[in-house]
Amino acid sequence: MNVFWQHGFDGASMTQLVDAMQINSPSIYAAFGSKEDLFREAVELYITSDGDSTMRALTDDGDVRDALRSMLAETIQTFSRYDEPRGCLIVLGARHLGPIGDPVRTFLRDQRERIRVRLAERLLKAKQKGELAPEADEEVLATCVMTFLNGISIQTVDGVSQPILLAAAEQFMDHLFPR
């Protein structure tokens, strides 16, 4: 997972994968079928491990603003740790995107779309509870949050500090959900 996270799908060499997994190349192919299948497994592991704490905030029945603030803070903590590659694997996993139909590009887009859909569902629930104005468009708001999340990924790779990113997240939330 970390090799793909650090180098992306295209940049990860079989030598790096062999070294990281401490098994030979034929064993990798026997276990996973292909580099692409191994990548998909790595992304699923990333989602269930590093991505889980970030998405847990969306299942919180509390105030949507608090849930999103928590999600952004968790995201910033996860993306900017020094013991792991920085940024988000599903944002940065395909650094050299191929054509629209490229299977790796499509897979990563589908993973990001799953998150956007969960955001939209959580925002709709908040609107139904009266936490958002009736005219609030949960799809547009979810897209705004996803755009900000993707930006956090790039900013952490560029070395922007956690305090700056947390302050940016607070400003983003204040503008997105004025009180």
Side-chain angles (χ1 to χ4, degrees), residues 20-171:
M21 297 177 72
Q22 299 179 346
I23 59 175
N24 61 34
S25 188
S27 296
I28 291 175
Y29 285 110
F32 298 98
S34 68
K35 180 182 172 184
E36 182 180 328
D37 291 334
L38 175 59
F39 177 72
R40 289 171 185 266
E41 294 270 342
V43 169
E44 290 300 328
L45 175 62
Y46 172 80
I47 290 169
T48 59
S49 59
D50 291 280
D52 187 57
S53 62
T54 300
M55 296 311 294
R56 220 173 313 145
L58 293 179
T59 61
D60 181 12
D61 282 336
D63 180 74
V64 69
R65 290 167 187 86
D66 293 338
L68 289 177
R69 273 189 171 85
S70 175
M71 183 188 76
L72 292 174
E74 282 286 333
T75 297
I76 290 165
Q77 294 292 326
T78 299
F79 289 0
S80 60
R81 290 186 314 218
Y82 287 98
D83 63 332
E84 300 283 347
R86 293 180 142 228
C88 174
L89 175 59
I90 63 174
V91 171
L92 302 172
R95 294 194 171 109
H96 304 289
L97 296 177
I100 295 292
D102 178 79
V104 171
R105 180 179 182 176
T106 300
F107 172 70
L108 291 173
R109 183 194 66 225
D110 291 348
Q111 302 313 306
R112 292 187 297 271
E113 178 61 10
R114 283 181 17 197
I115 298 166
R116 193 201 62 75
V117 166
R118 284 183 67 183
L119 277 164
E121 289 168 351
R122 178 63 177 92
L123 291 163
L124 175 61
K125 183 177 172 183
K127 186 165 75 170
Q128 292 167 342
K129 288 172 51 178
E131 295 176 352
L132 298 176
E135 66 274 6
D137 187 330
E138 66 276 357
E139 296 294 330
V140 171
L141 289 174
T143 299
C144 286
V145 173
M146 283 300 296
T147 300
F148 190 78
L149 282 170
N150 292 342
I152 290 170
S153 183
I154 299 299
Q155 293 295 301
T156 57
V157 169
D158 288 348
V160 176
S161 70
Q162 284 185 7
I164 296 291
L165 291 170
L166 290 168
E170 280 301 313
Q171 282 195 6

